[in-house]
Amino acid sequence: MGNFETRLTRLRQDLHRPPELGFRETRTKAVVAERLGSLGIDVHEGAGVVGVLRAGAKNTAIGLGTR
């Protein structure tokens, strides 16, 4: 399927192909949740999608957003 950069580029193009209005990104949200879940990442859905990565016992957090 190609290297990581190629796959990531295709994913970005796929997510931007069908335009979705702000705060109505239902397809984008579903695709992101599915991809994270397929990687074994704990997924929480609300107004957006949160993927929780756990490593060790520390309670450290990093937030990534799109806006």
Side-chain angles (χ1 to χ4, degrees):
M1 173 158 205
N3 64 28
F4 180 73
E5 183 179 356
T6 301
R7 292 191 327 247
L8 199 57
T9 299
R10 287 181 183 161
L11 174 60
R12 180 186 57 78
Q13 290 170 342
D14 177 58
L15 291 175
H16 287 88
R17 189 168 294 119
E20 294 180 293
L21 298 176
F23 301 105
R24 296 185 191 152
E25 298 94 345
T26 54
R27 179 180 178 276
T28 299
K29 182 178 164 184
V31 169
V32 170
E34 186 279 323
R35 293 287 179 110
L36 291 175
S38 74
L39 295 171
I41 296 173
D42 187 18
V43 177
H44 300 270
E45 295 184 59
V49 177
V50 175
V52 179
L53 300 173
R54 300 192 191 284
K58 290 185 178 182
N59 193 16
T60 303
I62 297 174
L64 302 174
T66 59
R67 298 195 196 270

